[in-house]
Amino acid sequence: MGRIIVEVMPKPEILDPQGKAIAGALSHQGFTEFTDVRQGKRFELTVEGDVTEEALEAARKAAEGVLSNPVIEDVVGIYAEGK
């Protein structure tokens, strides 16, 4: 079985309250190296057999139409796991 990874992030101009909360928690724990945090989503799509170009294309369509909200999010990665 193959697996396709889809990564989605908020658009840069969109506020990210979860990222701000995580940044605050990191700072309070002494992790002062980090100046900003953005929280995104990761989807793992499993296919029968190897990941083909057709499966990657279907993942692209699903990412744009179902897995993300194009008004506030960008699809930043679609790739076969391990590649």
Side-chain angles (χ1 to χ4, degrees):
M1 291 202 187
R3 186 171 292 149
I4 299 170
I5 308 301
V6 176
E7 297 172 342
V8 177
M9 294 295 294
K11 290 184 178 283
E13 62 273 12
I14 299 296
L15 294 177
D16 183 3
Q18 294 91 349
K20 294 266 187 227
I22 294 165
L26 287 169
S27 177
H28 290 311
Q29 293 293 317
F31 295 100
T32 58
E33 303 86 357
F34 310 116
T35 59
D36 191 31
V37 176
R38 301 287 287 173
Q39 181 180 344
K41 300 185 283 188
R42 172 186 161 116
F43 299 91
E44 297 181 358
L45 308 174
T46 303
V47 297
E48 293 286 335
D50 293 333
V51 174
T52 63
E53 283 302 316
E54 291 80 15
L56 284 169
E57 182 58 29
R60 284 183 197 93
K61 289 179 183 176
E64 293 169 0
V66 178
L67 303 178
S68 70
N69 177 344
V71 174
I72 62 170
E73 297 173 317
D74 290 324
V75 177
V76 297
I78 300 174
Y79 54 90
E81 186 175 58
K83 294 188 178 185

